[in-house]
């Protein structure tokens, strides 16, 4: 484990807020998911032929209760190097729910989308993809990178929802409640009783180190997205039943344990965490970075659970540095040994 290096690449200057990127439905096992696309724009300045500039691909995986729109700003910055793809996990955003919620279903959806991304024509076709996951999406991405290293070039984990060894008493009771029959349905009804504005305000307080950093336009977008989600009959189920699947995965031991999965990840990795994360203990950051065989760590001061939203530029520079160093390592390997 080393401290994360920050790329000095020229990034787009801050300007008007970017609307969510367009997307389309992509077939996956058991259905289809919605995938947004952020087109590669190339570096802001490039000496020589722009065609020689790095042109790779990245896939972004959101967390519990999130959606592909969580990656709007980060994907725009990383477009200097990546064609970016961000999916709505089954049951979230514009994606219909799976037959049954589980970590395995989310993992399979991400694998299916990765295979689809790799197969797309153009620069980067057939080449492994840079995988970036937040929270639940980070846990899912660990599983994907461990099981399908052929699809993953680098792995970035932002406040990944890794299992804890010692579960606090209150959390232990929460697990028991989520696993009890009937409790998820009760939680769904309670969620439905709060207005979109109330839920967005609550999420901002929980997920951001400093909620005042969130532009008013982004708050309005989040409220409208919450209203749109409320019109889906499965909206409440997606949150509570994915949480149930997450808690169930924490109880796994042996080869299916996420920490053991992390130890088997071979690709270069980056762990990003905010030191004001209220949802996943920042103390897990160095532990996770130490477990991953080839990793670097970036702890961001004053930032909460969603670094890609609250601090997109330092997050982007760490991700770009990871990709730059991975490409340099590959270039140094003698022909025939790759």
């Amino acid at each position: 484990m080393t401290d994360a290096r920050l790329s000095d690449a020229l990034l787009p200057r801050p300007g008007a807020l970017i609307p969510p990127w367009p997307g389309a439905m992509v077939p996956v096992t058991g259905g289809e998911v919605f995938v947004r696309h952020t087109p590669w724009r190339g570096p802001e300045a490039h000496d020589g032929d722009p065609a020689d500039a790095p042109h790779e691909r990245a896939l972004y995986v959101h967390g519990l209760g999130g959606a592909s729109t969580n990656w709007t700003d980060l994907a725009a910055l990383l477009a200097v190097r990546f064609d970016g793809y961000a999916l709505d996990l089954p049951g979230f955003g514009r994606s219909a729910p799976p037959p049954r919620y589980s970590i395995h279903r989310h993992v399979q959806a991400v694998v299916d989308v990765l295979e689809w991304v790799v197969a797309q024509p153009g620069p980067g076709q057939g080449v492994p993809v840079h995988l970036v996951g937040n929270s639940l999406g980070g846990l899912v991405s660990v599983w994907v990178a461990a099981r399908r290293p052929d699809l993953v070039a680098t792995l970035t984990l932002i406040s990944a929802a890794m299992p804890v060894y010692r579960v606090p008493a209150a959390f232990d009771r929460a697990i028991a409640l989520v696993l009890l029959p009937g409790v998820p349905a009760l939680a769904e009804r309670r969620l439905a009783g709060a207005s979109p504005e109330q839920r967005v305000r609550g999420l901002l307080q929980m997920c951001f180190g400093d909620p005042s950093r969130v532009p008013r336009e982004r708050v309005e977008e989040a409220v409208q997205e919450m209203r749109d989600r409320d019109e889906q009959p499965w909206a409440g189920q997606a949150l509570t039943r994915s949480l149930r699947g997450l808690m169930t995965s924490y109880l796994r031991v042996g080869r299916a344990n996420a920490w053991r999965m992390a130890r088997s990840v071979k690709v270069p990795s980056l762990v990003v965490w905010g030191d004001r994360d209220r949802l996943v203990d920042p103390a897990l950051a160095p532990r996770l970075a130490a477990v991953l065989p080839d990793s670097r760590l970036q702890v961001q001061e004053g930032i909460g659970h969603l670094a890609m939203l609250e601090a997109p530029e330092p997050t982007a520079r760490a991700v770009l540095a990871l990709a730059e160093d991975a490409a340099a390592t590959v270039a140094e390997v003698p022909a025939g040994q790759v």
Side-chain angles (χ1 to χ4, degrees):
M1 175 185 68
T2 61
D3 291 335
R5 183 178 73 81
L6 300 184
S7 171
D8 59 2
L10 289 176
L11 299 179
R13 295 179 180 177
L17 289 177
I18 302 164
W21 300 98
M25 303 304 293
V26 172
V28 297
T29 303
E32 57 183 8
V33 295
F34 188 74
V35 179
R36 298 183 188 273
H37 178 218
T38 306
W40 179 86
R41 61 180 293 170
E44 292 295 290
H46 181 71
D47 296 328
D49 186 353
D52 294 334
H55 190 162
E56 301 169 86
R57 298 178 183 182
L59 178 65
Y60 309 107
V61 188
H62 66 79
L64 188 68
S68 54
T69 50
N70 292 167
W71 303 100
T72 300
D73 296 325
L74 183 66
L77 295 175
L78 293 177
V80 299
R81 188 179 185 102
F82 303 147
D83 262 314
Y85 299 86
L87 81 156
D88 289 331
L89 288 170
F92 294 95
R94 299 186 184 184
S95 297
R100 181 175 176 271
Y101 286 95
S102 68
I103 295 298
H104 171 75
R105 296 280 183 178
H106 291 320
V107 169
Q108 186 60 56
V110 172
V111 168
D112 291 343
V113 173
L114 276 173
E115 291 179 337
W116 177 84
V117 169
V118 168
Q120 294 304 295
Q125 183 178 15
V127 177
V129 174
H130 299 276
L131 183 59
V132 184
N134 168 239
S135 194
L136 168 66
L139 175 64
V140 168
S141 296
V142 167
W143 283 49
V144 172
R147 290 183 170 182
R148 292 297 305 272
D150 58 306
L151 296 174
V152 180
T154 66
L155 175 67
T156 296
L157 305 172
I158 303 173
S159 292
M162 297 295 289
V164 291
Y165 288 123
R166 293 185 178 181
V167 180
F171 192 51
D172 194 28
R173 288 193 294 273
I175 291 176
L177 285 173
V178 169
L179 296 178
L180 283 174
V183 172
L186 175 62
E188 290 159 21
R189 290 196 294 272
R190 288 184 175 176
L191 282 172
S195 70
E197 290 81 3
Q198 290 172 325
R199 279 175 281 159
V200 167
R201 283 197 299 271
L203 287 170
L204 292 177
Q205 291 298 323
M206 279 195 303
C207 295
F208 285 78
D210 181 2
S212 67
R213 287 194 184 102
V214 185
R216 176 180 54 82
E217 295 88 344
R218 286 290 187 242
V219 175
E220 292 172 354
E221 282 180 6
V223 170
Q224 184 56 50
E225 188 172 15
M226 191 75 74
R227 291 194 184 108
D228 294 341
R229 194 175 301 172
D230 285 349
E231 295 178 0
Q232 300 168 334
W234 59 79
Q237 295 178 1
L239 181 60
T240 59
R241 297 184 188 186
S242 283
L243 177 59
R244 187 173 187 171
L246 176 65
M247 296 298 102
T248 301
S249 78
Y250 281 7
L251 304 178
R252 288 185 173 144
V253 296
R255 295 179 63 186
N257 179 270
W259 289 99
R260 183 167 292 186
M261 290 280 186
R263 290 188 187 96
S264 69
V265 170
K266 304 302 183 186
V267 300
S269 303
L270 166 67
V271 175
V272 177
W273 228 283
D275 66 358
R276 291 190 185 177
D277 193 331
R278 299 179 182 90
L279 294 181
V280 184
D281 188 353
L284 289 179
R287 183 187 302 178
L288 178 56
V291 165
L292 291 161
D294 180 6
S295 71
R296 55 189 70 186
L297 174 64
Q298 182 193 51
V299 177
Q300 299 184 1
E301 293 185 7
I303 302 302
H305 189 62
L306 303 172
M308 69 283 192
L309 283 166
E310 195 171 5
E313 181 171 335
T315 304
R317 292 195 179 281
V319 175
L320 287 170
L322 179 69
E324 291 165 0
D325 293 347
T329 300
V330 170
E332 292 172 359
V333 176
Q337 295 186 24
V338 179

